[in-house]
Amino acid sequence: DTEVTQTPKHLVMGMTNKKSLKCEQHMGHRAMYWYKQKAKKPPELMFVYSYEKLSINESVPSRFSPECPNSSLLNLHLHALQPEDSALYLCASSQVYGTGGGNQPQHFGDGTRLSIL
Amino acid sequence: AQKVTQAQTEISVVEKEDVTLDCVYETRDTTYYLFWYKQPPSGELVFLIRRNSFDEQNEISGRYSWNFQKSTSSFNFTITASQVVDSAVYFCALSPLSSNTGKLIFGQGTTLQVKP
């Protein structure tokens, strides 16, 4: 079983809906990540949180809004998405972020398969 | 340029065959980390190994082994006596120290199908 839990596992939403993806880890990790993965492609980094502060935003459109309420939780709020946003959204965590921690391995959840109608 | 190339898009083998997944990387950094991840159909990326650029020892973990050769900038992954459960997409990834972010640069992935 994965130690990073993502909910929901599947989500279908219309372009005008507002929904949220949730991610939780209890490994004491202080870095959390959101990735987007299209079929047959590698994951693409979207956001990185380090010690609950946003450290990286990879020029992601504002219709994606991340939130880190505490060190164990990471949310991704979705609003007015486009059909091209349909993808697998993966959450990951690592002990710390960046080279200071020796580039610790990231541990991934199962992902949320998102479909935009 | 910082880049990872997994030239094999898809590989199909019969159970119990050995299979090697190739990974070639490019980086200007002298210090970097290399990773392999497995992604089964369920979607989760499973961490398999991390190797730093100063440790060229090959590693074996059960049926899995990794061959790191700095001279050819390769970090190949071999599965011995493959099993159907090994069917997945395998990603090789690079994390250069100079980026100071721990960001992963992924290869395009190799889809491995192991047939019974």
Side-chain angles (χ1 to χ4, degrees):
Chain A
D1 287 339
T2 179
E3 294 179 83
V4 177
T5 305
Q6 291 188 242
T7 55
K9 295 207 179 301
H10 301 273
L11 179 62
V12 179
M13 57 187 285
M15 288 191 285
T16 57
N17 292 157
K18 284 185 182 180
K19 295 285 185 183
S20 297
L21 308 185
K22 296 186 184 304
C23 175
E24 189 168 4
Q25 57 89 13
H26 293 290
M27 295 180 281
H29 289 176
R30 303 313 300 267
M32 296 186 78
Y33 310 74
W34 278 116
Y35 286 85
K36 173 183 178 180
Q37 187 180 24
K38 301 286 271 186
K40 299 191 182 295
K41 295 290 185 184
E44 298 172 19
L45 183 65
M46 300 173 72
F47 302 104
V48 181
Y49 274 82
S50 177
Y51 291 87
E52 296 139 62
K53 293 195 185 324
L54 184 64
S55 292
I56 287 188
N57 175 343
E58 291 284 292
S59 303
V60 179
S62 59
R63 57 186 185 268
F64 295 92
S65 175
E67 177 196 19
C68 189
N70 61 56
S71 60
S72 300
L73 292 174
L74 186 66
N75 299 322
L76 186 62
H77 303 297
L78 314 173
H79 175 54
L81 295 194
Q82 303 298 309
E84 61 266 26
D85 297 323
S86 297
L88 177 68
Y89 287 83
L90 291 160
C91 174
S93 70
S94 63
Q95 285 184 357
V96 291
Y97 166 62
T99 55
N103 296 51
Q104 292 294 316
Q106 295 174 28
H107 297 267
F108 287 79
D110 288 340
T112 295
R113 294 190 187 275
L114 176 65
S115 297
I116 307 300
L117 301 178
Chain B
Q2 318 270 25
K3 185 180 175 184
V4 174
T5 301
Q6 295 179 255
Q8 305 148 309
T9 306
E10 294 185 12
I11 301 176
S12 182
V13 299
V14 176
E15 212 170 16
K16 297 184 184 169
E17 284 185 20
D18 298 347
V19 58
T20 295
L21 309 183
D22 297 333
C23 173
V24 174
Y25 61 92
E26 293 176 36
T27 180
R28 294 182 298 273
D29 288 45
T30 56
T31 304
Y32 51 87
Y33 293 82
L34 294 163
F35 301 81
W36 275 96
Y37 282 89
K38 171 184 179 181
Q39 187 173 36
S42 59
E44 173 195 3
L45 268 83
V46 178
F47 165 70
L48 297 178
I49 190 171
R50 178 183 72 152
R51 173 68 74 217
N52 77 54
S53 52
F54 296 108
D55 182 0
E56 288 194 70
Q57 273 195 329
N58 291 332
E59 178 148 344
I60 297 175
S61 176
R63 295 183 297 106
Y64 294 172
S65 62
W66 290 270
N67 181 2
F68 177 30
Q69 293 198 342
K70 283 179 79 169
S71 60
T72 56
S73 297
S74 65
F75 186 42
N76 296 338
F77 173 32
T78 297
I79 302 174
T80 303
S82 59
Q83 299 176 2
V84 172
V85 294
D86 296 326
S87 297
V89 182
Y90 290 86
F91 290 100
C92 179
L94 166 71
S95 186
L97 196 66
S98 65
S99 70
N100 202 32
T101 65
K103 192 172 172 179
L104 291 172
I105 300 165
F106 285 96
Q108 290 299 301
T110 296
T111 300
L112 174 64
Q113 183 181 32
V114 181
K115 298 178 181 176

